[in-house]
Amino acid sequence: MGSVQIVTTILAAAITAVAVWLAVRAVMKMVAVIRLGQPDPSRFTDRGTRTKTMLAETAGHTRMLRWSVVGAAHWFVMVGFIVLSLLVLEAYFEVVSPTGGLPLVGGWVLYGLVTEWIGILGIVSILVLIAIRVRNRPTRPGGRSRFTGSTMWQGYFVEAVVLAVLIMGFVIRGFKVATDHFEHPTWATPLSHALGGVLPDWDTGVSLAALIKIAISMTWLIVIALNVTMGVAWHRFLAFFNIFFKRDPGRVGSGLGALRPMMSEGKPLDFEEADPEKDQFGVAQVEQFTWKGLLDFSTCTECGRCQSQCPAWNTGKPLSPKLLVLSLRDHAYAKAPYLLAGGGKDLTGEEKATAAQLAHVDVLALAEADKPLIGTAEEGGVIDPDVLWSCTTCGACVEQCPVDIEHVDHIVDMRRYQVLIESSFPSEAGVMLRNLENKGNPWGAPQNTREDWTKGLDFEVPRVGEVEDFEYLFWVGCAGAFEDRAKKTTRAVATLLNEAGVTFAILGEGETCSGDPARRIGNEFVFQMLAQQNVETLNEAFEGREKSKRKIVATCPHCFNTLGNEYGQLGGEFEVVHHTQLLAHLVATGRLTPVQPVDGGVTYHDPCYLGRHNRVFAPPREVLGSAVAGGAAESGADRASGLIEMPRNSERSFCCGAGGARMWMEEKIGKRINVDRVEEAMATGAKTVAVGCPFCSTMLNDGVNGKGAGEQVEVVDVASVLLRSVKPEQAQGDKTAEPVAG
Ligand code: SF4
Ligand code: SF4
């Protein structure tokens, strides 16, 4: 070993020792913070599926690849990072000796070949990612981007380190080629050989370049160790765990569909015995999230994909799912010293720690602990109420998040405390909650008018109990029973089912609200009350039937989601389909035959709770396509091809603004979400905007009318479009018999 190598070895060892010590300390801190969260035993079930899903999403980049260029570039950078680690390890042999290399594999041509090409593609990819970050920088002319609010220096720093380390890897190899210490052939390592051709024959160059490479890598480790909230770097390690522990690993779109039940001490809360002084009602303190919640916050990469899709953010509301997660993360880590010292409030609001325990806690941590989780800027709140109540629970954030953060669950958990304990929520929603409690529907309509929609139909709609047998229980829903536009859909569906010879029955006055608006606003108590009653009624209606024969068809995606995905939490297991699924099946099997083509072009708005939350994308398109073609389409693909798609469709569909009980709240901030969506629909030039949800129908109709375009564009349910094609005369009759309200 020469004198240069002695120096490079000592320096490499010293900086590595410091970096590793700081990194171990940082990991311990992070684990301690995450462990502050509440227990969640459900995250440890089904480890086989969890492992498979985690490998598919990380190694396969299944979620990232939806963003094709970024996803592909990120994949190479990720693989480059793993290979890079081997090359950094190799550098430790090179600081000791210019002829050194990785033992065992270092001499394999395959190793040389793979590392060379991953290195080259890694450099290209990181340059692409840097270019994308620069192009979308929030300070660019033209305003906000998905990176608005992200800590930009951290992203640039991480990308610069990756680029520098990759480049140094080639410089080392180049010096080895120039000094004739490189074993791999030119065909396998062309860039290294090309560099070797221009670099001097200088042994010391190998060790110096290796030292620089180690120094850059260890500087990166030191910087991230000193910044435990630097998710853009830490996600490289945390993402594997966050994906492994996600809520429902076997489900496409985990974190969507059902909401988690209200939990206390890791168990679902039973409202018959629950006591707010002993049981946790939602989340009022950051440590009341589960440990998975705290892991979610720690893992956020600040990529802003969620933000770019959020309807609230895109219409000028203060909510950005990314900024919400970052606020919770920063608050958790700033408050952690206080909590780790034993601090915290019990469920009655009393301080748990003694003065002696808190004596040495940093004042900043104590000040952070005093912040209300939900509060305005004047109150020093972590999350502003306007942020909390702007969410439509559309799930676009969850859908897009590459590391499976479960935003909607966290938002609803915070709402639950505000509603159940603080009685603090937008006052206009109070009427809806009172109506649910007293009348069993959000409008407060008399229960004995639930069957009014059946009047004037030229066939009998039987109630459960009045018929011997029925294939489907037709869940009408409150909108379908009471709201004028939705009643037209209900009548259209009933007519089509009757036409197709499908036997069905309704609950009539036995039905109450599914509880979706109560649950999404955070009133779990009212949800449980309604849901338990419905589960009882439905179990009675299906008594003696196995699950596959307990079939329900619903026209409202919110009911469809709640009955199908959430009633199981209360002992109600049913096979629930949306009417568009059943209609698509009836058309495909020839039981309904569209004959009259639909003129003027049709576009389709995906309801969030049908599409994103439940992955029903194709059936409504197939129904519409067959109606557009008037039966001329032969295959499912043909049927779906007659539509004019909006730019934001299917998984990336844009919310109408009504979900998350926003239907019953005023939209006072920013542009109205429904107007934004209507503008997009109208820009397609289609004369018919088809929907599959009564709330979407109301919102988009309001948007069209607000723009004074009611004469040019019609918003109408998929079922009504199909009915016009199957039974043009009857549909016309239905149109004139009951004019659209509003
Ligand atoms: S659920 Fe929708 S509205 Fe709520 S934060 Fe996510 S993207 Fe925004
Ligand atoms: S998409 Fe996920 S990782 Fe990216 S900013 Fe949003 S929450 Fe963070």
Side-chain angles (χ1 to χ4, degrees):
M1 187 190 287
S3 54
V4 171
Q5 279 71 35
I6 292 173
V7 173
T8 52
T9 304
I10 291 171
L11 288 175
I15 191 168
T16 303
V18 173
V20 169
W21 176 69
L22 288 172
V24 169
R25 215 180 56 154
V27 169
M28 285 166 60
K29 180 175 176 186
M30 206 176 275
V31 170
V33 172
I34 291 166
R35 283 169 59 101
L36 286 168
Q38 299 303 304
D40 189 354
S42 65
R43 307 287 178 166
F44 295 93
T45 57
D46 206 0
R47 292 177 194 204
T49 310
R50 289 184 183 281
T51 308
K52 257 194 273 165
T53 306
M54 185 265 282
L55 289 175
E57 284 192 26
T58 51
H61 259 43
T62 46
R63 294 173 76 84
M64 282 290 289
L65 285 171
R66 291 179 194 165
W67 294 60
S68 41
V69 175
V70 185
H74 192 274
W75 188 85
F76 280 113
V77 171
M78 180 198 73
V79 173
F81 178 75
I82 295 166
V83 171
L84 210 76
S85 308
L86 280 180
L87 294 177
V88 171
L89 189 61
E90 189 169 30
Y92 285 94
F93 294 91
E94 290 156 348
V95 288
V96 176
S97 162
T99 60
L102 208 58
L104 303 177
V105 295
W108 290 0
V109 176
L110 187 63
Y111 171 76
L113 176 81
V114 170
T115 48
E116 181 88 356
W117 283 99
I118 292 290
I120 293 170
L121 292 169
I123 288 176
V124 173
S125 299
I126 200 69
L127 288 172
V128 168
L129 292 184
I130 291 171
I132 290 171
R133 193 178 293 274
V134 170
R135 203 185 55 203
N136 292 305
R137 68 197 181 283
T139 51
R140 79 199 194 289
R144 305 201 294 183
S145 75
R146 70 183 168 100
F147 291 118
T148 302
S150 298
T151 322
M152 292 302 280
W153 75 261
Q154 294 182 346
Y156 288 131
F157 170 75
V158 167
E159 285 161 352
V161 165
V162 173
L163 182 62
V165 172
L166 284 168
I167 290 172
M168 289 316 295
F170 284 107
V171 172
I172 295 169
R173 285 184 163 194
F175 274 121
K176 281 185 161 178
V177 171
T179 53
D180 211 13
H181 297 317
F182 196 61
E183 306 166 53
H184 304 302
T186 309
W187 65 264
T189 52
L191 182 59
S192 300
H193 279 272
L195 263 176
V198 294
L199 287 173
D201 178 2
W202 187 40
D203 268 352
T204 303
V206 175
S207 298
L208 281 180
L211 176 64
I212 293 170
K213 182 172 168 174
I214 289 171
I216 294 170
S217 304
M218 292 305 117
T219 303
W220 175 78
L221 199 54
I222 290 169
V223 170
I224 73 163
L226 295 175
N227 292 277
V228 281
T229 57
M230 194 167 163
V232 68
W234 281 105
H235 82 274
R236 287 178 179 188
F237 311 107
L238 296 177
F240 298 99
F241 297 99
N242 212 48
I243 295 169
F244 181 86
F245 288 118
K246 69 173 168 172
R247 194 176 75 184
D248 196 354
R251 188 178 195 276
V252 183
S254 171
L256 296 171
L259 275 177
R260 269 164 42 91
M262 234 168 92
M263 310 286 278
S264 180
E265 295 289 332
K267 295 191 208 90
L269 204 60
D270 178 352
F271 272 89
E272 297 205 346
E273 294 166 6
D275 175 355
E277 297 205 348
K278 293 199 194 108
D279 298 304
Q280 188 182 311
F281 278 48
V283 167
Q285 305 285 336
V286 75
E287 66 275 17
Q288 290 175 345
F289 286 108
T290 65
W291 60 264
K292 175 59 171 61
L294 296 177
L295 180 60
D296 270 2
F297 309 150
S298 308
T299 309
C300 176
T301 71
E302 306 195 16
C303 68
R305 286 178 180 82
C306 54
Q307 179 172 288
S308 72
Q309 306 292 308
C310 174
W313 179 259
N314 278 298
T315 52
K317 319 277 188 286
L319 166 65
S320 144
K322 175 184 75 180
L323 299 181
L324 177 122
V325 166
L326 300 190
S327 301
L328 293 170
R329 177 197 70 190
D330 292 346
H331 173 60
Y333 280 85
K335 188 179 176 182
Y338 158 79
L339 295 169
L340 291 169
K345 301 276 193 296
D346 66 18
L347 292 166
T348 62
E350 291 299 313
E351 176 59 60
K352 288 190 281 190
T354 62
Q357 279 177 297
L358 299 182
H360 301 293
V361 176
D362 188 272
V363 285
L364 292 177
L366 291 174
E368 194 72 28
D370 269 347
K371 289 185 178 175
L373 190 66
I374 306 299
T376 59
E378 296 76 51
E379 293 161 345
V382 178
I383 304 293
D384 192 280
D386 281 335
V387 169
L388 187 67
W389 296 110
S390 290
C391 179
T392 67
T393 69
C394 72
C397 47
V398 179
E399 175 78 33
Q400 291 303 327
C401 183
V403 292
D404 283 324
I405 289 171
E406 295 159 358
H407 315 67
V408 175
D409 286 336
H410 304 319
I411 288 171
V412 173
D413 270 338
M414 290 187 283
R415 285 183 173 188
R416 285 169 170 167
Y417 183 86
Q418 293 302 306
V419 172
L420 294 172
I421 303 295
E422 299 283 338
S423 283
S424 172
F425 52 88
S427 54
E428 60 275 16
V431 179
M432 174 272 287
L433 287 174
R434 271 195 301 282
N435 285 335
L436 286 182
E437 277 190 83
N438 300 331
K439 305 271 186 172
N441 70 82
W443 285 276
Q447 186 71 352
N448 62 8
T449 59
R450 266 201 188 263
E451 295 173 31
D452 282 5
W453 64 270
T454 59
K455 289 178 187 162
L457 289 175
D458 57 8
F459 56 94
E460 280 296 309
V461 177
R463 292 186 202 91
V464 170
E466 291 176 353
V467 273
E468 281 293 297
D469 200 13
F470 57 89
E471 188 180 1
Y472 284 93
L473 189 150
F474 182 12
W475 181 271
V476 176
C478 301
F482 301 122
E483 204 266 341
D484 283 349
R485 280 189 207 100
K487 273 157 73 176
K488 291 164 70 68
T489 305
T490 312
R491 291 164 64 87
V493 171
T495 306
L496 288 165
L497 294 185
N498 183 61
E499 176 76 14
V502 175
T503 55
F504 66 96
I506 58 169
L507 287 173
E509 292 180 30
E511 193 183 298
T512 63
C513 174
S514 68
D516 162 86
R519 191 166 228 204
R520 263 79 202 161
I521 204 173
N523 198 329
E524 188 71 4
F525 177 76
V526 171
F527 166 72
Q528 296 268 341
M529 186 185 84
L530 295 166
Q532 268 164 6
Q533 187 180 333
N534 284 326
V535 167
E536 223 168 88
T537 309
L538 289 167
N539 280 342
E540 211 172 290
F542 288 121
E543 201 172 351
R545 292 196 193 192
E546 65 203 58
K547 189 187 169 193
S548 63
K549 300 240 168 80
R550 295 156 73 95
K551 295 201 264 186
I552 297 175
V553 58
T555 53
C556 171
H558 298 266
C559 299
F560 164 66
N561 179 62
T562 306
L563 269 62
N565 295 326
E566 297 186 340
Y567 278 11
Q569 295 167 4
L570 299 163
E573 296 288 348
F574 313 108
E575 285 293 322
V576 189
V577 294
H578 187 249
H579 68 286
T580 56
Q581 291 174 294
L582 182 52
L583 295 179
H585 169 73
L586 296 174
V587 171
T589 51
R591 289 168 73 182
L592 288 174
T593 309
V595 287
Q596 172 87 39
V598 179
D599 294 331
V602 179
T603 189
Y604 173 64
H605 162 81
D606 290 270
C608 302
Y609 275 85
L610 183 64
R612 219 163 12 235
H613 280 278
N614 284 290
R615 329 307 294 176
V616 180
F617 299 117
R621 289 179 164 78
E622 291 175 11
V623 173
L624 290 169
S626 65
V628 169
E634 286 186 355
S635 67
D638 279 353
R639 283 195 288 275
S641 67
L643 284 180
I644 311 167
E645 290 285 4
M646 286 186 253
R648 294 177 289 191
N649 66 71
S650 307
E651 287 94 341
R652 292 200 186 182
S653 176
F654 195 71
C655 181
C656 72
R662 289 284 329 165
M663 174 89 176
W664 288 276
M665 298 180 213
E666 282 175 32
E667 195 174 336
K668 298 175 196 149
I669 308 172
K671 184 179 181 183
R672 291 184 64 83
I673 294 174
N674 60 341
V675 170
D676 196 290
R677 186 55 164 169
V678 158
E679 284 169 359
E680 186 176 359
M682 288 172 62
T684 64
K687 296 241 174 314
T688 302
V689 179
V691 293
C693 169
F695 296 164
C696 298
S697 171
T698 300
M699 297 303 278
L700 298 192
N701 264 301
D702 288 355
V704 166
N705 291 337
K707 294 195 84 63
E711 294 294 313
Q712 299 96 54
V713 177
E714 187 190 16
V715 179
V716 65
D717 191 273
V718 172
S720 298
V721 177
L722 181 63
L723 183 63
R724 287 175 199 177
S725 183
V726 172
K727 298 183 84 176
E729 286 168 21
Q730 174 151 359
Q732 189 55 38
D734 195 47
K735 223 173 172 181
T736 47
E738 195 178 351
V740 172

